[in-house]
Amino acid sequence: MRQAGTYSRILSGGGVSGRTGPHLLPLARIKKIMKKSSVDVKMISGEAPLVFSKACELFIEELTKRSWDMTIQGKRKTLHKEDVASAVATTDVFDFLIELVHRNAADHVDDVSEDHAP
Amino acid sequence: MDDSTNNKITTGDDETANQQERLLPIANVSRIMKQILPQNAKISKEAKETMQECASEFISFVTGEASEKCKKERRKTVNGDDVCWAMGTLGFDDYAPPLKRYLDRYREVEGDRSATPQRNEEEGRPSSSSTQFDPNLKPF
């Protein structure tokens, strides 16, 4: 879903973010996720998903960067799920993800067919 | 409702659809990841999926906190400030300033366009495009 060009120019123009272009994440989907988070969530202002679209970008970037650090430590070039788990384990602010990444690890076996250091 | 346990008895399509609803699209997530990584970096499919899950968890986590605040203050609507506040409280202090600026800028733009006062509890009427944003409210 494309957002109005006006918003993208104004909102992503210099100062706030070096990135150009419309929101990278769909606001309607963000709204759905917000609603599902708690029965207490009744009404959501139009701005809230917008704030999240930016926040999620920052979040994904940070977690990805830290995961990549783990990948580099392992002398690999492919970022694996385990790298994300390690990044979560070593970053306090990501404590809320510990159970999630462990649950994922228990359910799946990571693909070993990818570039994997011997 | 099945009388059997809800354990992959439903069609795979139903499950997939449900799952997709609670996650951000993998293509978008993947794009953001690639933006921050070096050109030669590769990302396993499962790492992308894990990131999708983490992002949804992040939204839920912060929304929960923001929603608690609204409840205590007897407000029904979670707004942008609540989200910013919640992030600061939960340790995402670094995000709060750029987000506030982002939000202020959005409000500045919207404030010029619409002179109507805040009507937090009302139904918002979507205009021609379903993607229009009304700072005054789109209750959901």
Side-chain angles (χ1 to χ4, degrees), chain B residues 5-140:
Chain B
T5 52
N6 193 16
N7 187 19
K8 296 189 181 176
I9 304 286
T10 50
T11 64
D13 288 346
D14 288 347
E15 280 195 21
T16 311
N18 271 337
Q19 206 208 30
Q20 291 314 310
E21 292 245 310
R22 63 172 187 85
L23 298 175
L24 298 172
I26 198 165
N28 302 53
V29 170
S30 175
R31 203 175 308 137
I32 297 170
M33 293 176 82
K34 285 182 182 157
Q35 260 174 200
I36 211 81
L37 294 175
Q39 283 238 326
N40 66 337
K42 289 185 171 56
I43 312 170
S44 79
K45 182 166 176 271
E46 290 190 343
K48 292 178 191 174
E49 288 169 349
T50 300
M51 193 60 71
Q52 276 182 294
E53 300 266 4
C54 290
S56 290
E57 194 71 14
F58 171 70
I59 295 171
S60 297
F61 185 49
V62 174
T63 302
E65 194 72 14
S67 161
E68 270 296 307
K69 179 180 203 272
C70 289
K71 204 174 167 186
K72 282 184 188 143
E73 295 175 7
R74 302 205 182 161
R75 284 184 289 112
K76 286 188 192 156
T77 310
V78 178
N79 64 33
D81 285 327
D82 297 324
V83 175
C84 287
W85 174 87
M87 273 188 252
T89 299
L90 295 169
F92 299 99
D93 311 62
D94 295 343
Y95 301 179
L99 290 178
K100 275 240 77 131
R101 285 198 296 274
Y102 192 71
L103 187 55
D104 287 345
R105 204 173 243 247
Y106 167 82
R107 282 172 174 167
E108 213 177 295
V109 171
E110 283 300 304
D112 286 345
R113 291 176 47 160
S114 112
T116 49
Q118 295 260 340
R119 289 171 297 154
N120 280 345
E121 316 305 314
E122 285 185 47
E123 281 285 327
R125 281 239 166 266
S127 46
S128 52
S129 159
S130 61
T131 57
Q132 279 289 345
F133 294 107
D134 183 7
N136 297 324
L137 235 305
K138 240 184 160 188
F140 273 75

Side-chain angles (χ1 to χ4, degrees), chain A residues 62-63 66-67 69-70 73 82-95 98 101:
Chain A
E62 187 180 358
L63 184 51
R66 289 179 187 272
S67 304
D69 288 343
M70 303 295 152
Q73 279 181 37
E82 284 76 21
D83 299 320
V84 180
S86 301
V88 164
T90 53
T91 314
D92 287 346
V93 83
F94 294 148
D95 279 354
I98 288 176
V101 294

